[in-house]
């Protein structure tokens, strides 16, 4: 159950607006997207993939479904 706090994963404060959450998500998703790190080798790609999934999960937890 090693779930991390979605706010700390995205680097936003609890109570952040949906715009702040979206902005943080986009920046992190762009930085850690597995396709963006292929040139850094397999180990780094695996780490980026795990981090990317964590970021997506945090975003989905915090953003209300429309």
């Amino acid at each position: 159950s090693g779930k991390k706090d979605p706010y700390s994963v995205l680097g936003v404060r609890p109570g952040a607006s949906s715009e702040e959450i979206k902005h943080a998500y986009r920046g992190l998703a762009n930085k850690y997207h597995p396709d963006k790190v292929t040139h850094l080798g397999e180990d780094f790609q695996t780490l980026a993939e795990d981090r990317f999934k964590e970021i997506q999960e945090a975003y989905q937890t915090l953003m209300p479904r429309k």
Side-chain angles (χ1 to χ4, degrees), residues 16-45:
S17 71
S18 59
E19 280 307 307
E20 289 172 304
I21 293 168
K22 222 177 276 184
H23 181 76
Y25 167 75
R26 285 191 184 129
L28 289 168
N30 193 30
K31 182 177 179 182
Y32 288 99
H33 195 284
D35 291 347
K36 299 242 180 201
V37 297
T38 51
H39 65 286
L40 296 173
E42 221 172 282
D43 287 349
F44 197 83
Q45 220 174 333

Side-chain angles (χ1 to χ4, degrees), residues 1-12:
S1 82
K3 289 238 187 248
K4 293 185 180 174
D5 173 52
Y7 292 102
S8 61
V9 170
L10 293 178
V12 295

